Structures are given as structure tokens and as C-alpha cells.
Amino acid sequence: TQLLEQSPQFLSIQEGENLTVYCNSSSVFSSLQWYRQEPGEGPVLLVTVVTGGEVKKLKRLTFQFGDARKDSSLHITAAQPGDTGLYLCAGAHGAGSYQLTFGKGTKLSVIP
Amino acid sequence: NAGVTQTPKFQVLKTGQSMTLQCAQDMNHEYMSWYRQDPGMGLRLIHYSVGAGITDQGEVPNGYNVSRSTTEDFPLRLLSAAPSQTSVYFCASSEDLAGAGNEQFFGPGTRLTVL
């Protein structure tokens, strides 16, 4: 079973602070996705990273895929209350694979 | 477009009862999946479908049945509900196989409690 370990599991910060969430595995993934899930709703895709070492920016969010394609990080600059939610990483195993491997998530609370 | 819709939003069952969770998508996606989400467990794949008439088992299929008679609909049936099936259930669809890195579009979920 391929596992994705996310850390931290819970994070509570003040508005304006920076934070980083990590997603680690011993397995290589063809690509890695980050989803955000708000209470009472389904996950929504934020980004897909494909190439080892790739960095993608989405406004105040910066996503990085590790060089070996085994890990990824999500950095949020100047967090806002609207960033509150559950952040999930999901690893893809390549063409022909039906299943994503999901991490257990990081629950972020940004306090105004 | 409504995207992926799920009904009901909430459901309470007694042990042994059966029910069907409904899922529909209007994006003409061939690929659809059912997940359950439990605290501390993440999202786990129950069943998936690669097109009308084609379904297969995921990671945790026991106690659940699915069918796919149309591209739009992918219902999940609980045959004899057990307390261990208390969870939040999500339906998702995608243009191509999820494991190939294609974006999955999730419904709003059904929160099921089995007493």
C-alpha cells in the first residue's frame, strides 16, 4: 500500500502568518494534486504538479513537487480566514491507473 | 452546469436497513468514483466506473454495490447497513482515470449515520 503522510495534522494560526504543509511518501508518483475542502463540502482541486522540482504559484499559495517526485509542500503567505479548511494531497500513479492515493489531510484554522 | 450532485445530504439508518445514495453529473464525464471519508483515515475509494455498464472495486468495497446504467448517474447501494458504515460519502467524476492525475470533481457529500 502506497502511503502519503501529511503534516501537520492540525494547524491553527493568526491571520497574516505564513505556514507550510508537507506531504511525504516513500513512493514515486507521476503527479501530485492538492485539494482544499471546506466544511460540509467536497474537495476542490487547487493545483496539479507533474515535474520533479516544479513550483507553481496560485496567488498567496506556493506548491512544490520534490525532485524525486516523492514529496510536496504547500506554502501559504499571509494567511487569511478564507484559507481555513482541510488541505488534502493526492498522488497519482500514472496512465492507466484508476486510483489516487490521498493523504489524511491538514486541518487549517486561520484566526482573524 | 450543476456539476456533481448528491442526494440525500444527511441520512440516518438503523442497522440492517438498506438504502441508495444518489449521484449525478452533467459534465459528460466517463469516469466516476465513490469515496468514504472518515476522521483520521482520509478519502478511501469504494467503487469506480470507467463508463456506462463498467464498474470495478476500489480499496474498501465490502458492503456496497454500484451500477452504471447511464453516463450521468452512479448510485451507491448499502445492502445491509452496519455502524461501521457511518461516514461521509463523496461521489466524484473526471474526464479520464483519476490515477492518471486528472482533476476530480466532487459532489457535496452525504453524511450517513448508522445506529
Side-chain angles (χ1 to χ4, degrees):
Chain A
T1 302
Q2 297 172 304
L3 297 175
L4 270 173
E5 301 288 341
Q6 283 190 244
S7 61
Q9 189 176 357
F10 300 97
L11 191 55
S12 181
I13 62 171
Q14 295 287 342
E15 181 177 358
E17 291 183 348
N18 301 333
L19 67 114
T20 302
V21 174
Y22 299 93
C23 179
N24 296 297
S25 176
S26 58
S27 303
V28 176
F29 294 101
S30 61
S31 63
L32 197 136
Q33 299 175 332
W34 285 93
Y35 289 83
R36 179 168 67 203
Q37 183 178 13
E38 298 187 15
E41 298 182 9
V44 176
L45 181 69
L46 295 173
V47 77
T48 300
V49 285
V50 179
T51 305
E54 181 177 6
V55 177
K56 279 192 174 180
K57 292 190 176 183
L58 185 65
K59 297 184 180 178
R60 294 175 294 100
L61 279 61
T62 301
F63 304 85
Q64 185 163 7
F65 201 13
D67 291 341
R69 291 187 283 122
K70 294 183 179 180
D71 54 85
S72 182
S73 63
L74 159 60
H75 182 78
I76 301 179
T77 302
Q80 299 178 1
D83 296 325
T84 293
L86 179 68
Y87 289 81
L88 297 163
C89 63
H93 305 284
S97 175
Y98 65 87
Q99 185 165 353
L100 284 173
T101 297
F102 279 90
K104 295 179 180 179
T106 293
K107 190 170 184 179
L108 172 64
S109 296
V110 182
I111 303 165
Chain B
N1 289 349
V4 179
T5 57
Q6 292 183 238
T7 56
K9 184 76 171 174
F10 301 94
Q11 183 69 51
V12 179
L13 293 177
K14 294 181 179 179
T15 297
Q17 288 185 317
S18 62
M19 79 159 295
T20 299
L21 280 63
Q22 301 292 343
C23 173
Q25 53 93 7
D26 62 0
M27 296 174 283
N28 201 32
H29 286 167
E30 290 294 327
Y31 301 88
M32 297 186 74
S33 307
W34 275 103
Y35 293 88
R36 59 177 291 173
Q37 186 175 40
D38 303 291
M41 297 294 292
L43 283 162
R44 291 182 293 170
L45 183 66
I46 304 172
H47 285 284
Y48 67 99
S49 171
V50 299
I54 307 170
T55 64
D56 207 342
Q57 296 180 353
E59 181 184 357
V60 288
N62 292 342
Y64 308 95
N65 273 356
V66 292
S67 60
R68 184 99 179 268
S69 57
T70 67
T71 299
E72 293 77 21
D73 300 299
F74 190 40
L76 178 71
R77 297 182 186 84
L78 279 71
L79 308 174
S80 177
S84 61
Q85 294 178 304
T86 293
S87 186
V88 182
Y89 291 85
F90 288 99
C91 179
S93 74
S94 56
E95 288 185 352
D96 207 326
L97 288 170
N102 295 281
E103 177 179 5
Q104 292 205 89
F105 295 84
F106 286 86
T110 293
R111 185 175 295 273
L112 175 68
T113 301
V114 183
L115 302 175

